[in-house]
Amino acid sequence: KLLFDRAFDGVDEMYAMAEKTLNETIAELGEAAPMAMPNTGYYLANHLAYLGKKITTLGQFKETMPVIKEWITRGPRLDNVFKAGFGTFLAAEIIEACKYAKNPQPYGEEYHGHLSDAEARELGVPLVTGDLPGFVVIIGPAPSDEEAVELIKGYQSRAIFVFLIGGIIDQAKRMKVNMGFPVRVVAVGPDIWAVAHIISFVNRAAMIFGAVQPGDREELDDYTFHRIRAFVNAFDPVGDIVIGAGAGAIAMGFPVITNDTKDMWKVPKSLIIQENTKDFIETSLEARDIKLKITKIDIPVSFSTAFEGEIIRRADMQVDMDGSRLDCFELVRTKDSSEIEDHNIEIIGPDIDSVEVGSRFPIGYVVEVAGKNMQSDFEPVFERRFHNFINCAEGVMHTGQRDLIRIRVSKVAFDAGFRAKHIGEILYAKVKSEYDSVVDKCQVKIYTNPDDLKRLRAEANEIYNKRDDRLKSLTDETVPVFYNCILCQSFSPAHVCIVSPERLGLCGAVSWLDAKATNELDPNGPCQVVTKERVVDENLGIWEDVNENVQQASHGSLQQVTLYSIMQDPMTSCGCFECICGIEPMSNGVVIVNREHTGMTPLGMTFSEMASMTGGGVQTPGFMGHGKHFIASKKFMKADGGSRRIVWMPKALKDLVGSRLNKTVQELWGVEDFTEKVGDETVAEDVEGLATFLAEKGHPVLEMEPLL
Ligand code: SF4
Ligand code: NI
Ligand code: NI
């Protein structure tokens, strides 16, 4: 049989399966039965991406079947077989969707199935920025259980995300491989149709980050080809149905590597036969042009971004360095070159082997750097990266920052020889390699004596406070320039953030001082100086020169932004926003929801539903992504009436920003305890309940002019 025939036969097979499943499910639930995948604002993402169709009922799938049929042309051109390949993904999505129509958790704990939008983002961001080099889909059982583990671990240690489908999952389970989203090995499902979930993730990444319009298959292929470095490993025997799906994968730019030699054809760079399965990894990386960054660090455990999301549970930990219970801190200090002995890592106090397994242990470390071009404004920028750096060590978990850090070391890492000094080794190696333009010498002092820590923590806090005061004392009017940030253009090509002292980047991670430091660390890097000399409208926050910068940085897709309005030319969003703010027409106020909040809002939309309206670098008046700390800013929606328009936000967010927000509202409008008048999920999740609450509390918005 020819390869094309095998592919078309495979699509036929998937089609037949979809038809059968759909008919059975409709017979059971009826055509009107609601159809929605959990935790997504993208409906059935493959249907949305390929056909521009928003599926909300089971019966709508009946319109899809003839389309798939039509795509199985059996035509002789490559494009014919590619199109049929996409048909397999639609058919597979129908089969999987039927499972979810019957049961919202059809896979229970055993398989992962559908990926939520939150997961799609968590995986999508590093994937499209290149922080994560790529992902592999492994299909079928490996020749042996041992080889299955070797392959999975091999990818893991190279920071490649691993999706498993079919027999290899049982092999991994037998070999007790630790699986799950955080460790980047995901058992998707037992059958080939589970591939629909992976394609759904890819399609959402293209729509979220690439602003690819639903239904635009050409743009979609282009985006996946250039931005998503993925590939497939299919073990012998490879059936027609896998080849059908493989055709779709190849069309997206994802090569397929197999050890099946029967009835198989080589297609250069796309369908590759590698009989020696031990060489799968090398062959795959070469086929997809993946080059790995190697950092050599002198520690006894593996170091890779694959371990960044690893969680170390109480039962598995050797020590718990808990900054919420003990005096802990982390700090960067600039020193004179003469005070530093490069690569000196000193421990002042006992090491972690001095305490019993499972104990708490205090730690504080100061990374001292010197360099002609070093500035103290860079210190917090380095410090904020420590979290990523330390987390990359296998068996080590770091959370928090400043004096609220927490580091856990697993028993396995401890047994492999990991000690306190290795934290120093990691920080030394990463600071030297990532900031080589300004750091000439670096040494690390690690403190573990409670008395030292008590004193040093207090000193560190004085330094943190000074930094915060420096930022607080700056206003948009007093600084000479703003900065832009285009870091997110790697996946959201039209997006630009304008960062000012009173409005930080929407990801919450880039303040004006950070943008300034980033610019000085790398003048050709993601943050550029934006002058603001030719003011157009001070109230709205419009400057001619800011607009010129935005036009240029967005390659012409944006003409004008306002810094202080949500209604007129609001700033765009890439997808990284910590919060979304949207107007609530009944009350003339705005609702804010943060990413962590999964519940409903009075707008009748969840965070992810609002996110799907806001992302992709387009302006959506009435909706705006922003950082948490922008809420308490005097410039928040200043032109539209300011923060006293806020009528609802989740309780946790209120607790976080409440005292600063209250202070702002009090200062500007004389309203006391403002947040007590702001609704949250404990008061109402619908607009009627909210209206009653606002009236009861006498919310100031009730006396304001209409927004619209
Ligand atoms: Fe930069 Fe904005 Fe992306 Fe944050 S969200 S990294 S400020 S472009
Ligand atoms: Ni972003
Ligand atoms: Ni962003």
Side-chain angles (χ1 to χ4, degrees), residues 488 491 495 497 506-507 573-577:
C488 290
F491 52 86
H495 174 71
C497 277
L506 56 90
C507 54
S573 300
C574 46
C576 304
F577 30 71

Side-chain angles (χ1 to χ4, degrees), residues 639-679:
D640 314 313
S643 45
R644 68 193 151 145
R645 289 263 187 207
I646 300 168
V647 292
W648 191 94
M649 53 181 162
K651 187 147 189 328
L653 184 61
K654 224 199 254 182
D655 290 344
L656 184 78
V657 302
S659 67
R660 293 175 53 207
L661 176 59
N662 283 341
K663 193 158 163 270
T664 302
V665 176
Q666 205 280 331
E667 264 177 50
L668 292 179
W669 301 288
V671 177
E672 299 286 340
D673 298 327
F674 173 65
T675 48
E676 285 175 19
K677 305 180 197 295
V678 175

Side-chain angles (χ1 to χ4, degrees), residues 56-96:
T56 53
T57 64
L58 254 185
Q60 280 174 286
F61 284 135
K62 287 190 131 178
E63 296 161 29
T64 317
M65 300 307 292
V67 177
I68 304 176
K69 191 103 225 175
E70 213 175 280
W71 286 2
I72 314 176
T73 52
R74 300 206 167 252
R77 288 183 303 120
L78 203 54
D79 190 53
N80 300 134
V81 75
F82 282 170
K83 200 156 185 185
F86 287 110
T88 50
F89 297 147
L90 288 177
E93 188 168 56
I94 294 175
I95 301 168
E96 288 297 306

Side-chain angles (χ1 to χ4, degrees), residues 138-142 164-169 171 233-237:
I138 308 178
I139 301 169
L164 305 176
I165 290 179
I168 188 158
I169 298 176
Q171 294 181 310
N233 285 176
F235 282 111
D236 184 23

Side-chain angles (χ1 to χ4, degrees), residues 321-333:
M321 308 176 197
D322 181 356
S324 68
R325 306 297 185 100
L326 300 168
D327 289 320
C328 296
F329 71 96
E330 56 188 25
L331 191 65
V332 177
R333 293 306 274 157

Side-chain angles (χ1 to χ4, degrees), residues 209-455:
F209 305 127
V212 173
Q213 290 307 306
D216 190 345
R217 201 166 57 87
E218 218 168 287
E219 268 298 303
L220 200 63
D221 291 356
D222 190 67
Y223 188 85
T224 54
F225 185 83
H226 288 108
R227 306 278 184 183
I228 311 255
R229 286 162 307 275
F231 52 91
V232 181
N233 285 176
F235 282 111
D236 184 23
V238 174
D240 291 352
I241 197 163
V242 173
I243 293 188
I250 290 170
M252 299 172 93
F254 307 160
V256 178
I257 291 83
T258 180
N259 61 332
D260 191 344
T261 54
K262 299 173 297 295
D263 268 352
M264 194 63 75
W265 284 261
K266 290 183 195 161
V267 182
K269 286 238 127 199
S270 296
L271 183 55
I272 293 156
I273 299 176
Q274 172 53 269
E275 286 183 57
N276 187 354
T277 48
K278 302 240 187 248
D279 288 337
F280 261 23
I281 297 182
E282 219 169 299
T283 306
S284 301
L285 296 182
E286 199 191 305
R288 192 60 183 101
D289 275 330
I290 296 176
K291 289 178 194 72
L292 302 172
K293 275 188 251 161
I294 310 286
T295 328
K296 190 77 203 85
I297 300 178
D298 194 8
I299 52 173
V301 295
S302 302
F303 188 86
S304 147
T305 52
F307 303 111
E308 245 188 289
E310 181 191 31
I311 289 166
I312 293 159
R313 285 170 225 292
R314 185 161 292 277
D316 302 323
M317 78 190 182
Q318 179 74 25
V319 287
D320 191 7
M321 308 176 197
D322 181 356
S324 68
R325 306 297 185 100
L326 300 168
D327 289 320
C328 296
F329 71 96
E330 56 188 25
L331 191 65
V332 177
R333 293 306 274 157
T334 310
K335 295 269 160 178
D336 189 78
S337 183
S338 63
E339 297 171 88
I340 294 188
E341 187 190 327
D342 190 47
H343 203 163
N344 185 30
I345 291 159
E346 196 182 346
I347 304 193
I348 300 135
D351 206 332
I352 55 176
D353 48 15
S354 64
V355 292
E356 289 197 7
V357 58
S359 305
R360 286 209 183 90
F361 189 82
I363 196 165
Y365 38 88
V366 184
V367 176
E368 297 180 335
V369 295
K372 297 192 280 311
N373 301 319
M374 182 63 199
Q375 300 178 20
S376 55
D377 273 352
F378 301 160
E379 292 168 359
V381 176
F382 297 2
E383 233 171 77
R384 233 194 7 248
R385 298 290 306 284
F386 286 4
H387 171 69
N388 308 84
F389 296 165
I390 294 173
N391 258 334
C392 287
E394 185 176 15
V396 184
M397 178 176 83
H398 176 289
T399 56
Q401 54 172 326
R402 293 189 166 181
D403 67 340
L404 284 174
I405 51 169
R406 177 171 211 162
I407 303 174
R408 281 185 173 178
V409 176
S410 75
K411 289 177 196 161
V412 178
F414 180 85
D415 290 342
F418 194 94
R419 297 294 180 270
K421 88 159 196 253
H422 296 116
I423 294 176
E425 288 288 353
I426 294 168
L427 296 173
Y428 168 79
K430 292 302 280 180
V431 165
K432 279 292 289 265
S433 68
E434 302 257 331
Y435 299 109
D436 58 336
S437 62
V438 292
V439 176
D440 300 333
K441 285 163 95 182
C442 172
Q443 67 185 12
V444 184
K445 291 185 178 143
I446 300 170
Y447 299 91
T448 61
N449 276 323
D451 290 344
D452 289 342
L453 282 165
K454 196 172 166 88
R455 174 175 53 84

